[in-house]
């Protein structure tokens, strides 16, 4: 069921209700039954619209966005990220050596924690 069908059904129900073919509930129990039927049907209709209409659209948008990212953005930033990674690795190695390895760094870190 798509949104057009759902809206069409709602409009048809409104026209039938206003024409007098379907009478409004006369008692509170009848009204409660109608409301329960509507509340039980609504989640199913929403799930159907979600699964059949929205998820395919979101999937297509995701594929297009991923392809655009790969084609126009990633290839430009990947070399810079590799350079940054290598530079950070060298800096970490230098810092570790100056602090006496991991043990010295751990001791320094423990002094920061009260």
């Amino acid at each position: 069921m798509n949104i057009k069908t759902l809206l069409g059904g709602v409009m048809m129900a409104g026209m039938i209700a206003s024409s007098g073919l379907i009478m409004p509930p006369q008692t509170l129990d009848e009204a409660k039954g109608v409301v329960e039927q509507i509340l039980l049907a609504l989640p199913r209709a929403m799930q159907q619209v979600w699964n059949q209409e929205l998820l395919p659209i979101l999937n297509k948008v995701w594929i297009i966005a991923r392809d655009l990212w790969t084609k126009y953005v990633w290839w430009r930033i990947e070399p810079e990220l590799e350079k940054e990674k290598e530079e950070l690795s060298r800096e970490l190695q230098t810092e570790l050596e100056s602090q006496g390895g991991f043990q010295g760094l751990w001791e320094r870190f423990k002094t920061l924690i009260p």
Side-chain angles (χ1 to χ4, degrees):
M1 171 186 285
N2 60 27
I3 292 178
K4 292 178 186 176
T5 306
L6 183 64
L7 291 175
V10 169
M11 288 193 302
M12 289 295 289
M15 287 182 2
I16 292 171
S18 65
S19 69
L21 294 174
I22 298 176
M23 298 302 294
Q26 299 299 317
T27 66
L28 191 57
D29 287 335
E30 286 179 20
K32 182 180 175 186
V34 170
V35 170
E36 285 176 355
Q37 288 176 350
I38 292 171
L39 290 178
L40 290 175
L42 190 60
R44 283 191 301 263
M46 289 175 63
Q47 182 181 18
Q48 217 170 13
V49 168
W50 177 265
N51 290 334
Q52 294 176 0
E53 300 290 326
L54 191 61
L55 282 181
I57 292 170
L58 289 177
N59 191 30
K60 288 176 185 176
V61 168
W62 170 250
I63 291 170
I64 291 169
R66 185 188 62 199
D67 291 345
L68 288 173
W69 174 265
T70 303
K71 187 175 181 179
Y72 295 108
V73 178
W74 180 247
W75 70 271
R76 291 180 182 180
I77 63 171
E78 186 177 25
E80 292 299 320
L81 289 175
E82 286 298 321
K83 288 178 191 174
E84 285 291 322
K85 180 179 165 184
E86 291 171 11
E87 186 177 322
L88 286 172
S89 178
R90 282 193 301 265
E91 287 177 9
L92 178 62
Q93 187 65 32
T94 305
E95 185 67 26
L96 281 175
E97 289 171 1
S98 70
Q99 297 296 325
F102 279 112
Q103 187 64 31
L105 191 61
W106 177 248
E107 293 299 323
R108 190 170 168 205
F109 180 72
K110 286 194 314 188
T111 61
L112 296 174
I113 301 172

